[in-house]
Amino acid sequence: QVQLVESGGGLVQAGGSLRLSCLASGRIFTINDMAWYRQTPGKQRELVASITRDGNTNYADSVKGRFTISRDNVKNTVYLEMNSLKPEDTAVHYCNAEIYSDWGLRAYWGQGTRVSVSS
């Protein structure tokens, strides 16, 4: 069974930094796109950043210049380096990945990790 497990969330003051990690485990043949999303109560989940297997990245306008997504294809891990954090970045952050495994090609979600930024 394929699982995505996030870590690295927490409470930080505005202007601070956090680094999120997401490890994919299981009988994985290959991982295509990986991404980070976030969600606040009452709002839809929104894309924060995505990265292809070749390393091409895409960012939401609200995080450009502050966040950096990267991945390690050997470790099956995606990272999100978050700098200059703002209170509006407060949300549950979810990892997403398109994975080809024994179960075929499917999109998987992690359980989420909470990021709280105080003003």
Side-chain angles (χ1 to χ4, degrees):
Q1 185 176 356
V2 174
Q3 284 188 318
L4 296 180
V5 178
E6 301 106 333
S7 61
L11 174 63
V12 65
Q13 288 189 329
S17 299
L18 284 174
R19 187 189 195 213
L20 306 183
S21 300
C22 173
L23 170 66
S25 62
R27 283 183 56 81
I28 295 170
F29 300 145
T30 190
I31 302 177
N32 294 334
D33 292 357
M34 305 184 83
W36 288 96
Y37 286 75
R38 66 187 182 188
Q39 188 171 24
T40 54
K43 292 189 177 181
Q44 285 191 329
R45 196 170 294 189
E46 64 174 2
L47 176 68
V48 176
S50 64
I51 184 167
T52 67
R53 183 169 180 80
D54 293 335
N56 295 312
T57 58
N58 179 54
Y59 295 93
D61 287 343
S62 59
V63 306
K64 281 181 181 176
R66 299 188 298 123
F67 291 9
T68 302
I69 189 170
S70 61
R71 63 188 286 173
D72 185 326
N73 291 332
V74 174
K75 295 181 179 179
N76 287 341
T77 301
V78 62
Y79 305 97
L80 186 67
E81 185 75 34
M82 304 184 294
N83 298 314
S84 302
L85 282 161
K86 304 175 181 179
E88 50 263 44
D89 294 318
T90 295
V92 178
H93 285 64
Y94 296 90
C95 175
N96 171 271
E98 186 180 69
I99 298 175
Y100 184 55
S101 70
D102 281 349
W103 297 86
L105 185 63
R106 286 182 51 186
Y108 291 86
W109 291 93
Q111 81 287 352
T113 184
R114 185 174 299 277
V115 172
S116 298
V117 184
S118 63
S119 57

